Amino acid sequence: MTDQSPPFLSIGEPDLTETEIDAVIAILKKGWLTRGEECQRFEKDFCEKVQASHALAVSSCTAALHLALLIHNVGPGDEVILPSLTFASTGHTIVHCGATPVFAEIDPRTYCVDPAHVESLINPKTKAIVAVHYAGHPVDLGSLRRIANEHDLVLIEDAAHALGASFDGEPIGSGKSVACFSFYTNKNITTAEGGMLTVPTEDLLARAERLSLHGLDRDAWKRFADGKKWRYSIEEIGYKYNANDLLAALGRAQLSRLDEMQAKRRRVWDGYVDRLNGDERFILPPEEGRIEHARHLFVIRLTEESGIARDDLIDHLRAQRIGATVHYDPLHLHPAYRDRFGTTEGMLPVTEGVAKNILSVPIHPKMSEEDVERVVGALKDFS
Ligand SMILES: Cc1ncc(COP(=O)(O)O)c(C=O)c1O
């Protein structure tokens, strides 16, 4: 008997071609594997793509977030405002610095942090705001920049989902910003694990680079390039967050295909919108003229009137071999945050209300029309 069940459709998958394979093999043949010239080329290409002035390739977006806080001297006694509808890293890196995370509400339409609520939480201890471009929908950068300027705060963008997005025509990660990108395996480009930090000044870049490699003044490539001089100086207690040339080769190849992969994501996205629009049980992701969405996640919200239990719908999709999941159970409701910071259910009614009713369905460049049909069919036939 043959297995007639359709292949499992995962929520996100990398799109890898001969371009990526050739690029990685070329580095293997060359033999310099750790941070070297290829990382520098990746940083240059990335800057061109998002119109950034300075970029540092690192081992993950988590590393980039941690470095972004450290280069602004966020530490014990400081408060940092962030949304709760996010991944562990956004909060954990604040805690790693010894600072206190303060959770702000989200906008119930975009699921990005609500600038008015952010402003209401500011007090003399507030040092920074970490804003998440949720699912690839840019935050309201205009309002958040105004608030940060008026209160002399640092604005850090968690752009893990946002490569390819723009706000008022300005690519996320461009010159004015401190932004942190992820190249984890399901992201809009992948290096398996990896990330990029973009910063507006040379000084911030130099500090981030130093902290990303144990606080050394020169990495191995610079020492090698300088006639193999072995000496280095440890300027401060840093971390091991550097990228490497293998990762960078994969990243450059993926970046060269970003527009093509974004176009494929858009086809999947439009397929969902065309087929699900008008079904009153579902609220679809918002999109308006001012923003370009990165289309990293396709998040559907169930209306209260639908009467659908979100978890039952996820089980139904999974039974049909369709990956569906939730981004995210709010951070403030997890034991690690409740226990340490005394956060409680009920403190963020908008976030909690949204989080209960959302689910993410598959979106990635390798999905076909039939895949989209399958997901839509499974959503529609749930009762
Ligand atoms: C919103 C957000 N921030 C940060 C991260 C961390 O990214 P990384 O796995 O590259 O450290 C993720 C990972 O998925 C994320 O979704």
Side-chain angles (χ1 to χ4, degrees), residues 9-12 268 272 298 317 322-324 360-364 367 375:
L9 184 56
S10 68
I11 183 101
V268 175
Y272 282 143
F298 196 87
L317 293 170
I322 294 168
S360 308
V361 294
I363 182 164
H364 58 78
M367 280 176 66
V375 179

Side-chain angles (χ1 to χ4, degrees), residues 327-359:
H327 295 90
Y328 300 88
D329 259 347
L331 270 191
H332 74 282
L333 299 180
H334 284 275
Y337 285 86
R338 283 179 186 262
D339 295 350
R340 191 149 166 180
F341 301 104
T343 51
T344 52
E345 191 158 0
M347 64 178 264
L348 295 173
V350 179
T351 303
E352 291 168 27
V354 167
K356 275 192 198 119
N357 287 313
I358 50 174
L359 72 157

Side-chain angles (χ1 to χ4, degrees), residues 362-377:
I363 182 164
H364 58 78
K366 280 160 67 183
M367 280 176 66
S368 63
E369 278 280 307
E370 293 72 43
D371 292 332
V372 174
E373 249 345 305
R374 240 180 91 196
V375 179
V376 170

Side-chain angles (χ1 to χ4, degrees), residues 27 55 61 80 90 156 211 218 220-221 226 249 252 267 286 299 309 316 326 328-329 339 343 348 353 365:
I27 294 293
C61 180
V80 179
T90 324
I156 295 168
L211 281 168
R218 302 189 316 150
W221 176 254
D226 188 18
R252 286 185 74 208
R267 275 205 293 279
V299 178
H316 166 79
V326 176
Y328 300 88
D329 259 347
D339 295 350
T343 51
L348 295 173

Side-chain angles (χ1 to χ4, degrees), residues 60-62 65 86-87 89-90 132 158 160-161 182 184 187 194 328:
S60 67
C61 180
T62 307
L65 285 164
T86 186
F87 186 60
S89 314
T90 324
V132 180
D158 181 336
H161 302 171
S182 174
Y184 182 69
K187 295 298 189 286
Y328 300 88

Side-chain angles (χ1 to χ4, degrees), residues 1 69 82 85-86 97 109 111 116 120-121 130 156 172 193 211 249 263 276 287 337 344 355 381:
M1 240 180 58
L69 293 159
L82 75 161
L85 196 72
T86 186
C97 290
R109 242 173 28 83
Y111 314 152
S120 74
L121 295 169
V130 182
I156 295 168
I172 296 303
E193 304 276 358
L211 281 168
L276 292 172
E287 240 185 312
Y337 285 86
T344 52
D381 74 16

Side-chain angles (χ1 to χ4, degrees), residues 274-295:
D274 288 349
R275 291 167 177 83
L276 292 172
N277 235 343
D279 189 326
E280 306 224 316
R281 298 172 303 166
F282 307 127
I283 300 171
L284 303 182
E287 240 185 312
E288 38 179 63
R290 216 174 163 199
I291 64 127
E292 172 73 25
H293 201 297
R295 299 181 170 80

